[in-house]
Amino acid sequence: MTIDVVYIAINIALLVFFFIVGQKVANRKRFWLYSVFCIAAFTFVQGARYMRGHDYGEYCRQFLWHDVSTNPVFVTINEILAMMGFNQYSCFAAYAFAFILGGMFFMKEYKAYAKYLFPLFLLGFMAIEEYMIRQSFSYSFFFCFLVYLFRLDLKNRNFRKNDIFLCIFFAVITASIHTANIINIFVFTTLFFLLRFPIHYMWGIPVYVMCVYVFPEMFNFDWLAPVLNVAASNNERAAMYVAKSSQWFSAAGAEDRYTRNAIIQLIETVGVSSLLYLGYVTIRKKMANSRPVVTMYNVYFLGICLMSLFRNLELLNRVGQLFNAYWCVVLAFVLYYRSELMSKKRFVAYIGLLWFLYDYLKYLFFRDGMTQFIWDAPSYVRFFN
């Protein structure tokens, strides 16, 4: 294990900075006046990365080639960036800027919780922005879609027509940049309108545990063949996943990078169960009338179950990861109300929440050399044209 002190120091400084700014915002300070500093810091740290993430080189080439067959909307955006002076390296700063701007627009709806939500957002979404490059760029607009979706109260007809238009507009933009985010649009919309209550931990936790230890041994992956084949016929990347599916579902697939060892898996199970329990209690006691919060809790439950069930199938694991990332929102609510809901019975569950530092610590210390910034390039590179 190689320790990159500069990389670790910069990322920890960014996390602390988000916490400090979150405190300011939570104390009723002007949201955008302070959030602009987070946007600038995130754009610098993520935008200045170099050869970080398995797809970095591929998206450098895509920026240079402008191959319309890959995705016309994304290619058009890249052409506009090129005209503005961005190149194959600085384009990642533009992607990062869009992502954090969309994230801040989303978090503004929950600014009272910013003390916890700002830094936890980093923990939940930092790695996703780094390695799901085009999908995370598309997700910038998905955050905007969520804001307007969550304002719709169709039952009581309590909404503005403008909200419906913007909801549809951002959904179209999101899907046009990366079609996989159609799944996110569909799931959030369905759960928001159809499921009014958080999934009870009394059956949610057992289902999750079975997704970890029982269902993967019983599941016949041949059942997924029709779905995967349809995806492969419409998407080159999906076709690559399908071509490798026989490897992933074999014994060799157990060595996949997503697999946890037995001890870590047990600790994760305890940590996730703690959040499912405390999240449910917090919502029922403090936020029961908030449909958006209920929806994000239920999406998190769905995500962690999908990730656990399809641990070694990257195609579905990625879907689960984007749902699972909402642990950061649920945890922010749990921490905000912890002093009011703390009890001897719940103390152990609160301790279990320490699990959610694990992936961030891996992100800091176990990167297999993927810690470079643009100034670490082996030769001089121009950051702008």
Side-chain angles (χ1 to χ4, degrees):
M1 180 181 70
T2 303
I3 302 296
D4 189 323
V5 177
V6 174
Y7 166 81
I8 293 171
I10 288 176
N11 278 281
I12 290 178
L14 182 66
L15 181 65
V16 172
F17 186 68
F18 266 58
F19 176 73
I20 293 171
V21 174
Q23 281 187 309
K24 297 287 187 181
V25 171
N27 290 331
R28 303 185 185 280
K29 303 293 184 182
R30 295 175 62 182
F31 183 88
W32 289 113
L33 179 64
Y34 286 92
S35 296
V36 69
F37 296 108
C38 285
I39 293 170
F42 184 92
T43 301
F44 169 75
V45 173
Q46 288 297 82
R49 69 184 186 267
Y50 177 73
M51 289 299 170
R52 222 187 299 156
H54 296 290
D55 292 339
Y56 184 97
E58 172 61 26
Y59 281 97
C60 284
R61 288 187 287 272
Q62 284 193 26
F63 188 89
L64 291 172
W65 293 340
H66 300 308
D67 183 2
V68 180
S69 64
T70 56
N71 184 285
V73 176
F74 186 63
V75 168
T76 300
I77 292 172
N78 280 339
E79 290 175 342
I80 294 172
L81 291 175
M83 288 188 290
M84 294 171 62
F86 289 85
N87 64 17
Q88 70 270 32
Y89 304 112
S90 55
C91 66
F92 294 98
Y95 303 155
F97 172 77
F99 186 83
I100 191 60
L101 182 62
M104 284 295 170
F105 184 65
F106 166 74
M107 288 189 285
K108 184 177 183 294
E109 302 292 296
Y110 310 98
K111 58 186 178 181
Y113 310 95
K115 175 181 177 180
Y116 302 106
L117 185 54
F118 275 26
L120 289 174
F121 179 87
L122 272 189
L123 270 62
F125 283 98
M126 189 87 162
I128 288 174
E129 194 281 331
E130 184 170 300
Y131 72 88
M132 293 187 187
I133 296 171
R134 180 159 59 91
Q135 188 165 2
S136 66
F137 179 64
S138 166
Y139 215 82
S140 311
F141 302 94
F142 180 78
F143 283 131
C144 301
F145 160 78
L146 278 187
V147 169
Y148 293 107
L149 172 69
F150 288 163
R151 291 179 183 177
L152 301 181
D153 184 357
L154 299 183
K155 182 179 179 180
N156 299 315
R157 298 184 180 275
N158 183 21
F159 59 88
R160 298 178 301 176
K161 292 182 180 180
N162 190 47
D163 291 338
I164 294 181
F165 169 77
L166 289 171
C167 183
I168 296 172
F169 172 78
F170 283 114
V172 171
I173 297 296
T174 299
S176 63
I177 296 174
H178 201 294
T179 53
N181 279 333
I182 293 174
I183 299 172
N184 295 282
I185 293 169
F186 173 77
V187 169
F188 270 89
T189 303
T190 301
L191 292 180
F192 178 67
F193 287 119
L194 298 184
L195 196 54
R196 297 177 55 194
F197 305 105
I199 296 168
H200 201 293
Y201 68 88
M202 290 294 288
W203 74 268
I205 292 176
V207 168
Y208 159 66
V209 172
M210 293 181 74
C211 285
V212 174
Y213 293 107
V214 179
F215 292 155
E217 303 298 325
M218 299 169 54
F219 193 85
N220 183 350
F221 288 98
D222 290 337
W223 298 340
L224 292 175
V227 177
L228 295 177
N229 288 333
V230 170
S233 66
N234 293 284
N235 186 283
E236 183 179 345
R237 186 64 178 264
M240 181 191 73
Y241 295 147
V242 174
K244 293 184 177 180
S245 61
S246 60
Q247 172 189 339
W248 289 333
F249 302 149
S250 67
E255 299 299 321
D256 185 83
R257 59 196 172 99
Y258 295 114
T259 301
R260 310 279 198 198
N261 69 49
I263 296 175
I264 295 299
Q265 183 61 77
L266 178 61
I267 297 172
E268 178 183 26
T269 303
V270 172
V272 170
S273 298
S274 298
L275 185 57
L276 289 174
Y277 166 66
L278 292 172
Y280 177 85
V281 170
T282 300
I283 292 171
R284 292 298 289 174
K285 291 183 176 294
K286 295 295 182 180
M287 313 175 81
N289 295 323
S290 175
R291 291 285 289 275
V293 173
V294 169
T295 299
M296 288 186 283
Y297 174 87
N298 291 334
V299 165
Y300 165 63
F301 169 75
L302 176 62
I304 193 60
C305 288
L306 278 174
M307 281 186 63
S308 302
L309 181 57
F310 303 113
R311 179 73 70 177
N312 294 320
L313 177 57
E314 187 174 4
L315 185 63
L316 293 177
N317 189 283
R318 283 196 173 204
V319 174
Q321 284 179 55
L322 282 168
F323 295 153
N324 174 65
Y326 286 85
W327 67 261
C328 66
V329 182
V330 177
L331 182 54
F333 299 144
V334 169
L335 294 178
Y336 183 84
Y337 291 109
R338 75 187 186 284
S339 60
E340 300 176 43
L341 299 176
M342 176 68 77
S343 66
K344 292 182 179 179
K345 175 183 175 182
R346 297 177 185 137
F347 178 76
V348 175
Y350 280 103
I351 295 298
L353 298 177
L354 290 172
W355 156 257
F356 291 94
L357 291 173
Y358 173 78
D359 280 329
Y360 183 70
L361 293 175
K362 279 183 62 181
Y363 178 81
L364 289 181
F365 294 100
F366 299 93
R367 295 305 313 274
D368 295 326
M370 289 189 181
T371 59
Q372 292 182 302
F373 290 94
I374 197 68
W375 54 80
D376 297 315
S379 58
Y380 174 77
V381 297
R382 293 173 61 91
F383 199 59
F384 289 96
N385 290 328

